[in-house]
């Protein structure tokens, strides 16, 4: 028998054939992880197929045998293997790279080799006849003695430990060849317990605390850390993750242990999900009765789940329309059948409330797959999932590849989010939404997509009937009990109205659009329009909170005129130009056109041509200067990179210790903030002019989501949108909460220009440390493609470029790109060098 194997060497194209040894015949299956000889060493590989005969051009004598089976359970299910083939084919990636997407990181390192004394060797009688044994080297003697002493077998890690810094592996190989040792490989078993996070809680009485507080340490620095930790803990009602304490006080685990020894603090292990509102907000443990709109959507999904047919649904409804409640109903139905589910969210650390709702509804049956798990923890989660010990996995895009047996449902929340797309150099290219739709169909599961602002292409597919479109037009907003508890805690009178048996609602917030050109005309050069400034004053004096949102995407290089509001465009192809400060020029990333940085606007001759690049930091300074009485906190990637900082900032804001939150796209996701009554969008346009056909759509999605942040308050709320292009349809539609209106304009525009979903676009990227090489190679490929299009007479195919990529240089590499637009560009490109 012959096995076809994808050898685990990154980016290795193709599969290889190996001979299946007798002892593995019958047990070997597709999906098994094995060791094979490859280029003179042992490599791991995954069995992708078993055949009776070798391929025609390869006589069986030339095949080398598989060395070992590493784990008796396959590392990939048959369904996952098929999905890997699909990813490899669709995204033009080597099969092995698609397969390793489904491994937990470090799987290779988890495999350990076990060495045993050969059977006839156990009594110590030396075998004879082999040259190595007749004159054994000192290391051979040591190794054999070690094995004998330790019961005849040891793992490689144990031998490393016992014989440090010695090259015992070569010696061991020689002994294996001589028949003195046998070896086999296996995967480490998972740790028995799930991820445990240590928590801290203040247990000291106030009197004791007052007594010891000032005399905790002779070191002034330590004294300061310890008191800071105690002060922070004193504010917390419940045990908190120690990471918070570290971030808040600068103390270490050793410091906390110190406090624990004195009986001031209790340290505990508990599976915790860090949610800044945990313990402060009511989370329904039982399913509430569905509202009428929810019930009619659910009646469409239920039959698909009951059968084993696959089904794909798009659930469209504004934030707070009750989509998550539908996901929960679907989960309940699937779990009741003994099947399992995967729930994907764009970014897990930004959706703690959602995670907590799932965990509250299905306690003990959920595992969270997130980026803060370390390698060992991920491996454990993976092992538990493979063993069927987990019923639901919630996580970011890669959670789609969890090896859950009996999968019945895949949920993708916020399906429009870019985080679902993985692009090199981050890793293998794939889109989790497309992969999920394909996977669900392949295994007969239901795929449920949800969004307030569906991707235009997804909505288009739903309208064409490829997905079932379900609309939840009205807001639910909140469970009656949650609203009541919030109102009581904050001492407010809620303006929400009943909307179902246990549901409360409120209308979408009014959105005001402010024309920033007018502000300039009256000489207001600050970042705040007069309208926003007044509204901020009102909000602060009413002791309410405000969010200021800054769209920073690509802002550093976007060029536009402050007087006519026009982005500067390429004379050849109308693509907005980007500014490259280094070269002091403007570049078109579509056709390669470049021109010197202009002094005046080509349209209206104004000299106020700006390279837009306001950062959050500068904005914070401006707010502080204009509103000295306000406490301002900043929330963006730079700040939240530190572990724990993110929760801390939110905690500060949700507990009312800050008045204004300044942030970037991150604040569009996430939380319900009951005291926020004003959302100000500082610059609604940035992003509209980016050289990407999706830029308008992204801007619309973002503005709609940011607008949805306001008006979730018990007190209602308002949104102020500042813009230089008030007449732009994306801004008009976002301010009217009008998805349908936006969709109609956008889809017509794309149809006109032949953009997706009408034709597809592929980007080929060439990277090289030498600028000329990157350009030259891209040029060669572009010429080949043009030939193909001509030879094969392909209609509707076009190339743009080669041109420098949007990020023309990353690190030391120069990047050139070619855009291929065609009905099926993958077929056109497949097989190119
Ligand atoms: P979405 O996912 O569309 O943003 P959610 O499902 O999170 O909406 O619903 C918004 C809020 O309303 C949540 O707090 C949820 O608990 C509550 N809710 C949703 N449906 C109901 C219902 N039928 N009865 C009571 N509360 C509900
Ligand atoms: Zn102008
Ligand atoms: Zn151009």
């Amino acid at each position: 028998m012959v096995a076809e194997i994808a050898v685990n060497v990154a980016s290795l194209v193709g599969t290889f054939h190996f001979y299946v040894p007798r002892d593995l015949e019958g047990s070997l299956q597709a999906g098994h992880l094995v060791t094979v000889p490859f280029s003179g060493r042992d490599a791991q590989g995954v069995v992708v197929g078993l055949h009776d005969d070798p391929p025609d051009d390869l006589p069986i004598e030339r095949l080398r045998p598989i060395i070992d089976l590493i784990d008796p359970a396959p590392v990939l299910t048959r369904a996952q293997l098929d999905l890997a083939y699909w990813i490899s084919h669709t995204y033009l990636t080597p099969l092995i790279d698609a397969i390793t997407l489904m491994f937990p990181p470090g799987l290779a390192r988890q495999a350990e080799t076990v060495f045993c004394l050969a059977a006839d060797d156990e009594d110590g009688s030396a075998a004879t006849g082999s040259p190595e044994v007749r004159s054994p080297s000192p290391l051979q003697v040591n190794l054999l003695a070690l094995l004998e002493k330790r019961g005849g077998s040891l793992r490689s890690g144990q031998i490393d430990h016992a014989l440090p810094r010695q090259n015992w592996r070569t010696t061991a190989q020689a002994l294996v060849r001589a028949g003195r040792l046998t070896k086999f490989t296996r995967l480490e078993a998972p740790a028995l317990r799930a991820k445990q996070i240590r928590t801290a809680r203040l247990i000291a009485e106030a009197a004791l605390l007052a007594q010891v507080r000032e005399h905790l340490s002779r070191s002034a620095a330590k004294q300061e850390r310890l008191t800071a930790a105690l002060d922070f803990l004193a504010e917390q009602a419940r045990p908190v993750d120690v990471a918070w304490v570290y971030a808040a006080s600068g103390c270490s685990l050793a410091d906390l242990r110190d406090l624990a020894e004195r009986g001031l603090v209790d340290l505990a292990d508990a599976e915790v999900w860090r949610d800044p509102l945990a313990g402060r907000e009511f989370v329904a443990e039982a399913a509430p009765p569905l509202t009428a709109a929810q019930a009619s959507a659910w009646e469409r999904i239920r039959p698909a789940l009951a059968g084993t047919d696959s089904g794909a649904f798009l659930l469209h409804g504004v934030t707070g329309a009750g989509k998550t409640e539908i996901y929960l109903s679907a989960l309940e139905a699937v779990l009741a059948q003994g099947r399992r589910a995967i729930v994907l969210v764009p970014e897990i650390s930004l959706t703690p409330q959602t995670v907590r709702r799932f965990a509250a509804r299905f306690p003990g049956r959920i595992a969270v797959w997130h980026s803060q798990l370390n390698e060992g923890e991920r491996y454990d989660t993976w092992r538990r999932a493979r063993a069927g010990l987990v019923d639901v996995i919630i996580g970011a895009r890669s959670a789609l590849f969890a090896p859950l047996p009996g999968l019945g449902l895949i949920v993708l929340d916020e399906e429009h989010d870019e985080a679902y797309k993985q692009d090199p150099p981050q890793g293998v290219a794939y889109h989790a939404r497309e992969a999920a739709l394909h996977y669900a169909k392949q295994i007969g599961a239901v795929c449920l997509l949800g969004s307030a602002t569906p991707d235009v292409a997804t909505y288009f597919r739903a309208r064409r009937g490829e997905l079932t479109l379900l609309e939840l037009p009205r807001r639910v907003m909140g469970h009656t009990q949650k609203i009541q508890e919030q109102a009581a805690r904050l001492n407010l009178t809620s303006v929400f109205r009943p909307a179902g048996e246990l549901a409360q609602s409120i209308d979408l917030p009014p959105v005001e659009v402010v024309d920033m050109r007018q502000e300039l005309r009256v000489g207001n050069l600050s970042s705040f329009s007069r309208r926003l400034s007044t509204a901020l004053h009102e909000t602060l004096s009413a002791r309410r909170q405000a969010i200021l949102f800054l769209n920073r995407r690509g802002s550093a290089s976007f060029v536009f005129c402050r007087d006519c509001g026009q982005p500067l465009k390429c004379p050849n192809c109308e693509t907005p130009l980007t500014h490259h400060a280094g070269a002091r020029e403007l570049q078109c990333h579509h056709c390669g056109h470049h021109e010197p940085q202009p002094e005046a606007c080509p349209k209206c001759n104004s000299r106020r041509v700006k390279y837009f690049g306001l950062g959050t930091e500068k904005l914070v300074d401006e707010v502080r200067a204009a509103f000295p009485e306000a406490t301002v906190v900043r929330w963006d990637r730079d700040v939240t990179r530190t572990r724990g900082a993110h929760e801390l900032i939110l905690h500060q804001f949700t507990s009312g210790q800050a008045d204004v939150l300044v942030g970037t796209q991150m604040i569009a996701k996430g939380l319900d903030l009951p005291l926020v009554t004003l959302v100000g969008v500082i610059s609604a346009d940035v992003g509209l002019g980016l050289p990407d056909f999706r830029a308008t759509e992204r801007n619309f999605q973002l503005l709609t989501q940011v607008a949805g942040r306001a008006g979730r308050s018990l007190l209602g709320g308002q949104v102020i949108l500042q813009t230089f292009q008030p007449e732009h349809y994306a801004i008009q539609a976002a301010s009217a909460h009008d998805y349908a209106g936006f969709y109609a304009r956008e889809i017509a525009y794309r149809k006109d220009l032949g953009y997706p979903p009408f034709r597809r676009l592929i980007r080929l990227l060439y990277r090289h440390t030498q600028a000329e090489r990157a350009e030259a190679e891209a040029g060669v490929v572009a010429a080949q493609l043009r030939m193909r299009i001509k030879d094969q007479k392909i209609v509707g195919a076009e190339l743009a470029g080669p041109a420098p990529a949007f990020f023309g240089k990353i690190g030391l590499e120069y990047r050139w790109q070619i855009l291929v637009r065609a009905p099926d560009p993958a077929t056109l490109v497949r097989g190119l060098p």
Side-chain angles (χ1 to χ4, degrees):
M1 197 155 64
V2 172
E4 186 180 344
I5 288 176
V7 176
N8 192 1
V9 172
S11 309
L12 183 65
V13 175
T15 53
F16 299 83
H17 290 82
F18 293 88
Y19 174 77
V20 180
R22 263 284 133 61
D23 57 325
L24 289 181
E25 251 178 52
S27 60
L28 201 66
Q29 297 173 35
H32 263 143
L33 185 66
V34 294
T35 315
V36 291
F38 195 77
S39 305
R41 60 192 172 88
D42 291 1
Q44 292 184 351
V46 172
V47 179
V48 298
L50 292 166
H51 312 283
D52 290 334
D53 298 303
D56 292 341
D57 53 345
L58 210 66
I60 192 129
E61 329 61 87
R62 296 251 319 271
L63 292 184
R64 311 191 55 192
I66 292 172
I67 298 174
D68 228 344
L69 175 61
I70 295 176
D71 198 46
V75 291
L76 256 70
T77 61
R78 182 70 240 178
Q80 285 186 300
L81 205 52
D82 291 342
L83 179 61
Y85 266 107
W86 180 84
I87 287 177
S88 161
H89 183 79
T90 308
Y91 299 101
L92 312 167
T93 4
L95 180 62
I96 188 62
D97 291 352
I99 285 177
T100 46
L101 277 176
M102 298 167 194
F103 286 180
L107 181 69
R109 280 190 292 285
Q110 301 286 351
E112 281 216 295
T113 309
V114 181
F115 290 89
C116 310
L117 290 174
D120 59 349
D121 223 82
E122 264 170 10
D123 52 23
S125 69
T128 48
S130 118
E132 279 113 337
V133 180
R134 220 164 271 142
S135 53
S137 73
L139 192 52
Q140 285 182 344
V141 174
N142 276 350
L143 188 59
L144 290 169
L146 177 71
L147 280 163
E148 214 154 299
K149 195 167 101 206
R150 304 275 289 270
S153 81
L154 283 175
R155 286 177 285 120
S156 49
Q158 294 172 309
I159 304 179
D160 276 335
H161 200 74
L163 303 172
R165 283 182 301 280
Q166 296 186 51
N167 186 18
W168 61 264
R169 278 166 218 267
T170 322
T171 309
Q173 284 303 345
L175 289 170
V176 169
R177 274 197 303 277
R180 298 289 306 272
L181 292 184
T182 56
K183 66 165 192 174
F184 64 92
T185 326
R186 65 160 195 213
L187 283 182
E188 252 316 14
L192 287 174
R193 300 199 303 170
K195 179 181 166 68
Q196 304 288 315
I197 298 171
R198 207 181 287 274
T199 62
R201 180 170 63 108
L202 189 68
I203 49 172
E205 301 277 304
L208 172 65
L209 208 55
Q211 202 184 347
V212 299
R213 201 189 124 88
E214 301 308 324
H215 319 284
L216 292 166
S217 170
R218 267 189 290 261
S219 139
K222 185 170 178 190
Q223 171 71 31
E224 198 178 313
R225 291 198 307 272
L226 294 181
T227 39
L230 287 174
D231 289 347
F232 174 75
L233 287 171
E235 287 166 18
Q236 313 302 319
R238 308 213 162 197
V240 291
D241 185 332
V242 288
W244 291 25
V245 191
Y246 302 159
S249 66
C251 77
S252 64
L253 182 60
D255 291 338
L256 286 180
R257 287 224 167 94
D258 212 271
L259 293 174
E261 259 162 48
R262 293 163 195 254
L264 303 174
V265 164
D266 177 44
L267 295 180
D269 285 345
E271 185 146 30
V272 186
W273 182 248
R274 276 162 299 181
D275 170 0
L277 294 179
R280 296 166 45 100
E281 287 278 353
F282 165 78
V283 174
E285 280 163 24
L290 297 179
T291 62
Q294 282 173 324
S296 70
W298 175 233
E299 279 314 313
R300 306 284 300 279
I301 302 170
R302 204 170 47 91
L305 284 170
T308 44
D309 282 353
S310 66
F313 298 87
L314 172 62
L315 196 54
H316 173 219
V318 293
T319 338
K323 298 183 294 296
T324 309
E325 211 45 62
I326 301 271
Y327 307 153
L328 289 165
S329 303
L331 275 179
E332 198 174 311
V334 160
L335 294 185
Q337 297 168 358
R339 294 201 286 169
R340 299 189 174 79
I342 292 174
V343 178
L344 302 182
V345 293
E347 199 162 344
I348 196 129
S349 62
L350 296 181
T351 41
Q353 284 173 320
T354 307
V355 174
R356 200 156 53 88
R357 270 170 76 189
F358 281 88
R361 196 69 64 82
F362 307 103
R365 306 184 70 173
I366 302 223
V368 183
W369 184 269
H370 59 96
S371 58
Q372 291 190 351
L373 293 183
N374 65 31
E375 199 177 291
E377 291 162 342
R378 276 190 203 214
Y379 172 67
D380 278 352
T381 309
W382 177 83
R383 278 291 291 242
R384 292 200 307 139
R386 185 177 73 159
L389 299 173
V390 174
D391 293 322
V392 181
I393 289 256
I394 302 189
R397 59 175 182 246
S398 62
L400 179 64
F401 304 122
L404 288 186
L407 196 58
L409 172 71
I410 303 173
V411 172
L412 221 111
D413 192 25
E414 310 282 356
E415 67 82 30
H416 64 275
D417 202 288
E418 288 168 83
Y420 286 124
K421 191 169 170 213
Q422 175 162 295
D423 265 327
Q426 251 180 356
V428 178
Y430 70 91
H431 199 300
R433 183 211 307 125
E434 302 314 310
L437 285 167
H438 171 83
Y439 194 33
K441 193 179 221 166
Q442 175 203 313
I443 60 182
V446 165
C447 188
L448 193 51
L449 311 179
S451 174
T453 49
D455 189 291
V456 165
T458 312
Y459 201 74
F460 177 78
R461 282 150 78 181
R463 297 272 294 247
R464 279 213 313 214
E466 285 172 43
L467 301 158
T468 307
L469 181 60
L470 304 171
E471 301 269 1
L472 289 179
R474 270 176 298 278
R475 279 181 140 188
V476 177
M477 282 325 289
H479 194 286
T480 301
Q481 194 173 341
K482 172 175 152 186
I483 306 282
Q484 283 168 353
E485 284 186 13
Q486 262 185 3
R489 177 161 51 82
L490 299 167
N491 203 6
L492 300 172
T493 313
S494 153
V495 299
F496 281 41
R497 298 177 311 268
E501 247 171 272
L502 286 176
Q504 300 252 319
S505 185
I506 185 172
D507 290 333
L508 284 160
V511 182
E512 245 176 282
V513 177
V514 176
D515 183 349
M516 290 305 275
R517 292 170 305 188
Q518 287 294 346
E519 297 297 310
L520 286 171
R521 272 174 218 141
V522 302
N524 175 12
L525 295 174
S526 84
S527 301
F528 308 106
S529 60
R530 291 158 296 168
R531 186 66 197 92
L532 180 56
S533 187
T534 314
L536 255 176
H537 270 300
E538 285 166 5
T539 306
L540 292 173
S541 54
R543 312 272 328 127
R544 306 290 177 237
Q545 293 178 313
I547 290 179
L548 295 178
F549 172 75
L550 190 68
N551 188 350
R552 207 167 52 164
R553 194 198 310 273
S555 58
S557 50
F558 177 64
V559 190
F560 78 108
C561 170
R562 278 210 162 191
D563 283 318
C564 66
Q566 282 304 310
L568 301 196
K569 292 187 177 164
C570 170
N572 306 331
C573 66
E574 284 283 287
T575 305
L577 297 168
T578 52
H579 178 234
H580 289 249
R584 294 186 59 77
E585 61 175 24
L586 306 182
Q587 294 183 0
C588 171
H589 291 274
H590 192 66
C591 71
H593 165 87
H594 50 102
E595 60 181 67
Q597 196 169 297
E599 295 293 319
C601 170
K603 268 232 167 78
C604 74
N605 233 351
S606 156
R607 300 208 149 246
R608 289 195 285 190
V609 181
K610 262 279 271 199
Y611 309 103
F612 205 100
L614 177 66
T616 39
E617 240 164 312
K618 229 174 99 205
L619 184 59
V620 167
D621 291 343
E622 271 190 63
V623 183
R624 288 197 177 126
F627 305 93
E629 73 280 17
T631 311
V632 187
V633 287
R634 175 159 79 98
W635 195 28
D636 59 20
R637 299 249 171 233
D638 298 340
V639 176
T640 55
R641 241 188 284 281
T642 347
R643 200 174 163 153
H646 167 99
E647 291 84 359
L648 210 67
I649 294 169
L650 280 179
H651 176 79
Q652 207 184 344
F653 196 65
T654 51
S655 64
Q657 295 167 47
D659 310 302
V660 182
L661 179 68
V662 170
T664 51
Q665 4 280 45
M666 285 175 73
I667 56 178
K669 315 187 180 183
L671 303 165
D672 239 340
L673 301 167
L675 281 172
V676 174
T677 57
L678 173 66
V679 171
V681 179
I682 299 298
S683 47
D685 329 86
V686 183
L688 280 182
L690 281 176
D692 176 347
F693 75 93
R694 283 199 182 86
T696 309
E697 174 180 7
R698 300 232 172 89
N699 202 47
F700 169 77
Q701 286 163 345
L702 204 56
L703 292 177
T704 307
Q705 280 187 331
V706 172
R709 289 294 104 209
R712 303 176 69 112
S713 163
L714 299 181
L715 303 159
Q718 61 173 335
V719 182
I720 294 179
L721 259 172
Q722 303 190 146
T723 172
F724 286 91
Q725 293 158 277
E727 54 295 309
H728 195 289
Y729 67 91
I731 292 188
Q732 295 272 325
S735 65
H737 305 287
D738 180 14
Y739 179 82
F742 171 77
Y743 174 78
R745 284 291 296 265
E746 182 68 17
I747 203 81
Y749 166 76
R750 297 218 190 153
K751 189 162 188 180
D752 253 15
L753 294 181
Y755 279 132
F758 300 97
R759 278 186 277 168
R760 286 166 190 254
L761 215 53
I762 281 196
R763 185 173 73 140
L764 303 174
L765 194 64
Y766 292 83
R767 294 177 287 160
H768 205 278
T769 47
Q770 290 167 303
E772 310 80 55
R773 284 290 297 277
E775 180 176 357
E777 278 179 30
V780 168
V781 172
Q784 284 184 345
L785 279 172
R786 290 207 163 90
M787 293 269 288
R788 279 194 184 186
I789 293 173
K790 224 172 102 195
D791 291 352
Q792 302 173 18
K793 302 197 173 55
I794 297 170
V795 237
E798 268 175 66
L799 293 193
F806 182 60
F807 295 103
K809 192 178 177 207
I810 293 183
L812 288 174
E813 286 182 332
Y814 290 88
R815 295 150 45 99
W816 279 71
Q817 68 179 30
I818 303 171
L819 292 177
V820 186
R821 197 192 300 171
D824 182 9
T827 310
L828 183 62
V829 169
R830 204 163 278 135
L832 282 179

